[in-house]
């Protein structure tokens, strides 16, 4: 009995030791996982762009806590590679401290570009951690190095903005195009006793989204634009499904001949959730099991819609035609459409629902609207019987004749 108790005691002791070892082994891993997965770093911007050889360049690093937990002692460290160097080694580490969930901090660094550097790409490493006991996590970033000074005096002007679709609906994807024109009228200009060409250069062009609208295209390089000539730059944008109606502003940034010729434009983009309105234009009466239903379809969206198609649906009724294709509808345009309806099962009769399909730009949309109940009546044809049987012969002819006309919506 004593030997059995000793065995149990030894087993419990061994289990306790194993649990303690497991706790010690897991603790650093959890800290490392928290540090690595809860923080994210990115280069917000650097100026001038590109970084000039033999000059300083300012870099803004954004560190964000996207995790649900708080980071108590956040630090970042920047280590550049040749031809970049820090203005002072003491500025390598930035101690941010507490970073709450869904919050961010932006830290500024100043780097020097060696005077013997060649135009091209330079890189630097950014290390970050959530607390002083966690290991550093590294990300590598690049920047362009070169010269932004050209012997040119052409000036760019934003002449036109075109969105496709013209007005976005929530959930749409599309494009925004910008036409930039070199406003110079002569090939050369004399300034302070020196001759310059009047070409305009676009070294880079970027479109930045708003807090909601997403710009998904990267940086573009349009090159040289001669006097009086134009270039069109096109960027992709996405409007999330839950975007409220309103006007949002995107930022178009263009790096030109030199810093004096850089441009930033605020570009509006409109989102409107209105679509098609479908309403009966006369009472929905069915006499002796058949009749004609007529309804209006109006485009309430401020943009032209295409591929508009309407389909009536109700249990117990057959419609002819089964679907009507309208095509293109301009803003505030209204169609009046007529269908033939034949009752097949009066017991199963349900209210009429109109279903629409349409396109806004290249985006497919659907709309559905319940417009009301049918009024089913019977009438005597004068011979003591209803005309349902005789009407069926007429329905085949009437069903092939569609009454439709177009008119502008009245104010």
């Amino acid at each position: 009995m004593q030997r059995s108790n000793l065995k149990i005691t030894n087993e419990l002791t061994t289990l306790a030791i194993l649990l303690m070892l497991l706790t010690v082994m897991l603790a650093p891993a959890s800290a490392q996982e928290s540090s690595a997965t809860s923080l994210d770093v990115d280069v917000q911007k650097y100026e001038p762009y590109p970084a000039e050889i033999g000059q300083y360049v300012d870099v803004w690093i954004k560190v964000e806590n996207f995790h649900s937990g708080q980071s108590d002692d956040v630090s970042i460290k920047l280590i550049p590679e040749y031809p970049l160097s820090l203005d002072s080694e003491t500025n390598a580490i930035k101690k941010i401290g507490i970073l709450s969930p869904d919050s961010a901090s932006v830290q500024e660094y100043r780097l020097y570009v060696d005077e013997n550097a060649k135009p091209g790409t330079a890189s630097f490493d950014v290390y970050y951690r959530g607390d002083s006991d966690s290991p550093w996590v590294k990300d590598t970033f690049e920047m362009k190095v070169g010269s932004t000074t050209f012997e040119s005096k052409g000036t760019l002007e934003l002449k036109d903005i075109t969105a496709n679709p013209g007005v976005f609906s929530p959930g749409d994807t599309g494009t925004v195009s910008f036409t930039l024109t070199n406003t110079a009228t002569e090939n050369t200009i004399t300034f302070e006793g020196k001759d310059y060409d009047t070409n305009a250069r676009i070294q880079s062009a970027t479109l930045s989204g708003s807090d909601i609208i997403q710009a998904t295209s990267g940086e573009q390089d349009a090159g040289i634009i001669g006097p009086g000539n134009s270039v069109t730059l096109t960027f992709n944008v996405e409007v999330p499904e839950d975007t409220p109606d309103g006007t949002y502003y995107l930022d178009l940034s263009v790096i030109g001949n030199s810093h004096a010729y850089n441009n930033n434009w605020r570009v509006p983009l409109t989102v409107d959730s209105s679509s098609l309105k479908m309403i009966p234009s006369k009472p929905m009466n069915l006499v002796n099991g058949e009749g004609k239903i007529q309804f209006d379809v109006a485009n309430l969206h401020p943009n032209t819609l295409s591929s508009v198609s309407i389909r009536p649906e109700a249990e117990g009724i057959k419609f002819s035609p089964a679907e009507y294709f309208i095509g293109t509808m301009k803003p505030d345009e209204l169609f009046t459409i007529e269908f033939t309806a034949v009752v097949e099962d009066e017991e199963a009769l349900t209210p009429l629902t109109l279903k629409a399909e349409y396109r806004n730009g290249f985006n497919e949309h659907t709309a559905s609207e319940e417009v009301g109940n049918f009024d089913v009546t019977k009438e005597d044809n004068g011979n003591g019987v209803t005309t349902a049987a005789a009407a069926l012969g007429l329905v085949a002819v009437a069903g092939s004749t569609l009454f439709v006309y177009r008119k502008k919506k009245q104010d």
Side-chain angles (χ1 to χ4, degrees):
M1 185 70 178
Q2 186 175 2
R3 181 176 297 178
S4 176
N5 290 337
L6 181 60
K7 181 179 180 182
I8 294 173
T9 302
N10 290 336
E11 289 178 349
L12 290 174
T13 302
T14 302
L15 180 60
I17 292 172
L18 288 174
L19 288 174
M20 290 175 63
L21 289 173
L22 183 62
T23 302
V24 172
M25 292 173 63
L26 289 178
S30 300
Q32 180 175 354
E33 181 182 1
S34 175
S35 174
T37 60
S38 65
L39 297 178
D40 183 48
V41 295
D42 197 7
V43 176
Q44 193 173 51
K45 63 177 180 177
Y46 60 90
E47 293 179 351
Y49 175 91
E52 293 188 30
I53 297 172
Q55 302 293 328
Y56 282 99
V57 55
D58 294 317
V59 184
W60 284 265
I61 307 295
K62 179 182 178 181
V63 55
E64 183 177 9
N65 181 4
F66 60 89
H67 202 261
S68 58
Q70 177 175 284
S71 295
D72 294 323
D73 191 10
V74 178
S75 300
I76 62 173
K77 176 171 59 177
L78 189 146
I79 299 180
E81 297 180 5
Y82 181 84
L84 303 176
S85 61
L86 280 164
D87 59 343
S88 173
E89 292 299 327
T90 60
N91 296 330
I93 296 179
K94 305 280 188 179
K95 294 184 177 181
I96 299 170
I98 296 175
L99 204 57
S100 302
D102 296 324
S103 63
S105 175
V106 177
Q107 301 294 320
E108 182 179 355
Y109 285 90
R110 169 161 279 204
L111 302 176
Y112 180 75
V113 184
D114 190 87
E115 59 186 10
N116 296 316
K118 303 296 183 183
T121 301
S123 63
F124 55 92
D125 297 328
V126 176
Y127 293 80
Y128 59 97
R129 61 186 180 184
D131 59 74
S132 57
D133 295 328
S134 299
W136 291 100
V137 180
K138 183 182 78 170
D139 274 347
T140 301
F141 300 95
E142 294 182 343
M143 68 167 58
K144 288 188 177 180
V145 173
S147 174
T148 61
T149 302
F150 295 94
E151 298 297 316
S152 300
K153 296 295 182 182
T155 302
L156 289 171
E157 183 176 324
L158 180 59
K159 285 289 188 180
D160 189 35
I161 304 172
T162 305
N164 183 22
V167 177
F168 285 72
S169 297
D172 279 354
T173 60
T175 60
V176 182
S177 299
F178 306 95
T179 300
L180 300 172
T181 301
N182 182 356
T183 58
T185 57
E186 303 291 338
N187 291 326
T188 60
I189 187 174
T190 301
F191 181 72
E192 295 181 348
K194 185 177 179 180
D195 292 336
Y196 297 88
D197 69 60
T198 54
N199 292 325
R201 286 174 169 82
I202 298 180
Q203 299 189 73
S204 73
T206 55
L207 183 68
S208 301
S210 68
D211 292 340
I212 299 178
I213 309 301
Q214 302 170 14
T216 58
S217 295
E219 176 185 296
Q220 297 191 31
D221 179 0
I224 299 175
I225 307 172
N229 293 333
S230 300
V231 66
T232 299
L233 305 176
T234 300
F235 297 87
N236 297 325
V237 295
E238 294 181 0
V239 178
E241 195 73 47
D242 57 351
T243 302
D245 290 1
T247 299
Y248 301 86
Y249 288 89
L250 313 180
D251 293 311
L252 175 64
S253 300
V254 174
I255 306 299
N257 297 342
S258 63
H259 301 311
Y261 291 86
N262 296 346
N263 294 281
N264 292 281
W265 289 283
R266 295 273 286 167
V267 182
L269 184 144
T270 303
V271 178
D272 193 310
S273 60
S274 59
S275 58
L276 298 175
K277 181 68 176 178
M278 299 171 285
I279 53 176
S281 55
K282 69 176 186 179
M284 296 192 300
N285 297 329
L286 301 181
V287 180
N288 296 332
E290 65 93 13
K292 294 186 177 184
I293 58 171
Q294 191 180 102
F295 57 90
D296 294 332
V297 180
N299 178 14
L300 303 184
H301 193 71
N303 199 52
T304 296
L305 303 179
S306 62
S307 302
V308 179
S309 180
I310 309 297
R311 184 174 68 253
E313 293 184 355
E315 294 293 331
I317 290 186
K318 182 178 181 179
F319 297 97
S320 180
E323 184 174 3
Y324 185 77
F325 182 78
I326 296 176
T328 300
M329 292 189 71
K330 298 177 181 179
D332 280 342
E333 192 168 32
L334 181 144
F335 275 78
T336 299
I337 298 179
E338 189 174 88
F339 286 88
T340 296
V342 177
V343 177
E344 293 185 325
D345 185 355
E346 189 171 346
E347 295 292 329
L349 204 60
T350 60
L352 173 63
T353 298
L354 298 176
K355 293 190 174 181
E357 296 179 354
Y358 62 93
R359 288 177 179 266
N360 186 35
F362 294 104
N363 302 281
E364 296 183 354
H365 291 270
T366 60
S368 180
E369 195 164 343
E370 186 177 301
V371 296
N373 295 294
F374 292 97
D375 183 14
V376 181
T377 60
K378 296 184 182 295
E379 290 184 0
D380 196 305
N381 65 356
N383 297 323
V385 295
T386 62
T387 58
L392 290 176
L394 298 175
V395 167
V397 177
S400 64
T401 304
L402 180 68
F403 174 70
V404 56
Y405 64 90
R406 176 188 297 205
K407 63 184 179 181
K408 295 299 291 183
K409 185 177 180 182
Q410 299 297 318
D411 294 334

